[in-house]
Amino acid sequence: MKGSIILMLSAAAAKLLGAVFKIPLTNILGGVGMSYFSCAYSLFMPVYALAVTGLSSAAAKMTAESTALGMYRNAAKVRKTALGLFSAVGLCGSLLIFLLAKPFSTYIIGMPEASAAVAMIAPAVFFGCITAVERGCYEGMSNMYPTAFSQLVEGIVKAGAGLLLCGFVASHPRTVLRLFPFVTDIRAAAAAAGILGVTLSTAGAALFFGVMALFRNRVRGGEEHVMSGRAIIRELTATALPVGISSVVTNLTALTDMWTVIGCISHFGYPSAVPEGIAADELPHFIYGSFAGIALTVFNLVPSVTNMLGKGALTCIASARGSGDIQALEQGTLQALLSAAFIAVPAAAGLGVLSPEVLGFLYPRQSDETAVCVNALRHLMAGMVCLCVSFPLFSMLQAVGKASAPLKIMLAGTGIKLAGNLLLIPVMGVDGAALSTTLCYGLILAASLRVYIRASGVRLEFAPFGKVIYAGAMCGGAAFLAAEALRRRSAPYAVILGVSAAVGGAVYIILVLALIGGKKISSKHNG
């Protein structure tokens, strides 16, 4: 739990820095500019997920097993082998994105101007692979601080370099167009500059671990057995590949939104009122850029923090499973899932009832874009809770030997997402895309929980989760009443958010303590 808390705090700080980057970026680029930025991410994330996501878990698992048995030389060889193998994988992934930049932008999404942004993000896969291996090796030794500090470095570089570069390009269009005559839309060039900040941030994180390597203390002694390089590669691949493929499927939801939102609106038109001044040929890209750049950005804030619970749960569940301690297994499972729900439920309630104020406060210069996203954000909130709780489950499934289960579950969820988008977007616009996202993650949570319970043999108490949901509903109700009173007085967004959050938060904490009780939770978790 200590490791999870360290990672959650660092993830929260990194996400805050990400918001410092993404929110001004959206205000600079607008809906159409964010569509270029989001399209680059849509191609980047599946390749990045395949190459990177499973690496940390695989390296952490093998390092934890080696150090637990005193096999320190083997742990060092795991790191060296993993760095060599996955640096080559990352290089191939970067090359693939760079080569696909032009055909993907031109023939797949019909936005040739986005090719520069896609090309700019290609090197991030290579640097991400190096960083993922290093983080996994430290996490396997239960040292979460390097991961935490590297996330902060990444966030600082992204916010600083990304905004500086994007702002310069946007404010000096004549200079940019003179230097790069092939650029036809300054918004596309500004989006590419912002994406370059993302690439530089991954390079900064990799450089951080390079500096740390100079001061690493090498542990000597212990078990002398060392696995062969081939055996290490085989085990790393067997662990990382299913997780990576599952993450690719997870990121297919972003590709699904890109293709279906742009395609359905282009073919069927938009069923709701649209802001004035948006050209018909830009409308699909404006709607998609607004949804991906604003609604989905806010949606992903909380899951990116609770995702860190899975890293702490992985070693805990793996150790309990290996020792056959069913009580520790049940306690670790309850702790991880209940902690995720405890954070996600009130956040979803607050974001749902205060969505106009949240978006208006974060994006004051993009009133047209936020108007498109208010109801969509509300439809996303139940799905956000399901996603937050699913992240620890994915790690725990890996710990109990079900690394391939998330892949099958995510494929089924993606099928629901695709069908939902095709059916609902022509009728509801981006609200339909948001609703299908919630249905997708609801199915994923239910299926993951069922598989995990069967594989681990744990017996979960669901009563505490019901109490958290009830407390969250009351939190949302209290926040709504406070907000309504302030809205009638035409209070500023900041005042409405501050007062409503304080009222709702107080109600939530009081109810959680009254219904569950800190002593009862502590006794259950600590045995």
Side-chain angles (χ1 to χ4, degrees):
M1 195 61 183
K2 176 185 175 183
S4 294
I5 291 172
I6 292 170
L7 291 177
M8 286 175 62
L9 290 175
S10 69
K15 207 62 186 179
L16 179 61
L17 290 168
V20 170
F21 166 64
K22 198 75 174 286
I23 293 168
L25 185 76
T26 304
N27 286 322
I28 293 171
L29 295 177
V32 176
M34 281 306 295
S35 71
Y36 298 132
F37 187 93
S38 300
C39 285
Y41 252 102
S42 296
L43 177 60
F44 164 71
M45 285 309 297
V47 179
Y48 183 81
L50 179 61
V52 171
T53 306
L55 303 189
S56 286
S57 299
K61 182 174 181 290
M62 290 195 70
T63 303
E65 291 170 347
S66 296
T67 54
L69 297 173
M71 299 166 59
Y72 302 117
R73 288 180 58 201
N74 192 68
K77 188 170 183 179
V78 166
R79 174 182 173 272
K80 182 178 179 181
T81 304
L83 278 174
L85 172 65
F86 293 115
S87 294
V89 171
L91 194 60
C92 293
S94 294
L95 185 61
L96 178 65
I97 289 180
F98 185 81
L99 294 176
L100 288 177
K102 191 69 176 179
F104 174 80
S105 303
T106 304
Y107 303 111
I108 303 299
I109 61 175
M111 297 176 66
E113 298 88 352
S115 60
V118 176
M120 285 293 182
I121 208 169
V125 176
F126 171 71
F127 294 119
C129 283
I130 296 174
T131 303
V133 171
E134 293 282 19
R135 286 173 176 171
C137 290
Y138 281 108
E139 290 164 12
M141 294 183 286
S142 297
N143 183 2
M144 307 300 179
Y145 290 105
T147 296
F149 287 123
S150 69
Q151 287 176 333
L152 291 178
V153 169
E154 197 169 345
I156 291 169
V157 174
K158 182 193 297 182
L163 289 179
L164 184 65
L165 292 169
C166 182
F168 176 82
V169 171
S171 59
H172 296 81
R174 292 184 179 178
T175 303
V176 173
L177 293 175
R178 185 175 66 253
L179 293 174
F180 303 98
F182 55 85
V183 174
T184 57
D185 189 339
I186 195 63
R187 294 170 296 186
I195 284 285
L196 180 58
V198 176
T199 296
L200 292 175
S201 72
T202 61
L207 180 62
F208 169 82
F209 282 108
V211 173
M212 280 203 64
L214 300 176
F215 303 97
R216 180 183 288 112
N217 292 324
R218 300 186 182 278
V219 181
R220 302 185 184 278
E223 172 64 49
E224 291 297 314
H225 174 70
V226 177
M227 299 171 64
S228 68
R230 182 174 297 180
I232 291 173
I233 290 174
R234 186 165 54 247
E235 186 169 341
L236 282 171
T237 305
T239 304
L241 194 58
V243 178
I245 295 174
S246 300
S247 298
V248 170
V249 177
T250 302
N251 287 282
L252 287 179
T253 57
L255 282 173
T256 300
D257 279 330
M258 182 186 66
W259 285 326
T260 54
V261 171
I262 294 176
C264 287
I265 294 174
S266 298
H267 186 73
F268 297 104
Y270 198 65
S272 305
V274 296
E276 296 180 1
I278 305 298
D281 60 335
E282 288 190 343
L283 179 61
H285 304 299
F286 172 83
I287 297 295
Y288 168 69
S290 301
F291 178 65
I294 295 178
L296 292 182
T297 296
V298 176
F299 167 80
N300 284 316
L301 287 174
V302 181
S304 64
V305 175
T306 59
N307 184 27
M308 297 300 110
L309 286 167
K311 293 179 177 289
L314 175 63
T315 52
C316 171
I317 298 300
S319 299
R321 171 95 168 167
S323 63
D325 189 343
I326 189 66
Q327 185 179 5
L329 191 63
E330 290 180 349
Q331 289 170 357
T333 299
L334 180 63
Q335 191 175 57
L337 298 184
L338 195 57
S339 297
F342 179 81
I343 296 169
V345 168
L351 288 173
V353 301
L354 300 173
S355 57
E357 288 76 21
V358 169
L359 298 183
F361 178 76
L362 294 177
Y363 303 96
R365 296 170 54 188
Q366 306 298 330
S367 57
D368 290 343
E369 287 86 349
T370 56
V372 172
C373 298
V374 169
N375 286 330
L377 184 60
R378 288 171 174 158
H379 289 307
L380 285 167
M381 287 302 97
M384 188 188 81
V385 174
C386 295
L387 181 59
C388 286
V389 181
S390 296
F391 274 141
L393 270 174
F394 289 163
S395 295
M396 292 189 292
L397 281 168
Q398 184 180 357
V400 298
K402 290 289 184 179
S404 63
L407 170 60
K408 301 171 186 176
I409 294 169
M410 287 301 303
L411 280 172
T414 303
I416 295 293
K417 169 67 177 170
L418 176 60
N421 274 17
L422 293 175
L423 290 172
L424 296 175
I425 291 175
V427 179
M428 300 175 62
V430 289
D431 294 353
L435 184 57
S436 67
T437 298
T438 289
L439 295 174
C440 165
Y441 289 126
L443 170 69
I444 288 168
L445 174 60
S448 299
L449 192 59
R450 181 181 180 187
V451 173
Y452 177 75
I453 289 174
R454 285 187 173 183
S456 63
V458 300
R459 290 176 297 175
L460 283 180
E461 295 183 46
F462 289 97
F465 296 95
K467 293 174 182 178
V468 169
I469 292 172
Y470 173 76
M474 294 300 101
C475 162
F480 175 77
L481 293 175
E484 278 296 296
L486 292 170
R487 286 166 185 160
R488 294 193 189 100
R489 292 170 172 77
S490 301
Y493 287 151
V495 174
I496 295 175
L497 288 174
V499 173
S500 301
V503 171
V507 169
Y508 180 72
I509 296 298
I510 291 170
L511 283 175
V512 166
L513 292 176
L515 293 172
I516 302 178
K519 185 180 292 186
K520 185 176 180 182
I521 294 177
S522 177
S523 65
K524 284 183 178 180
H525 289 178
N526 298 324

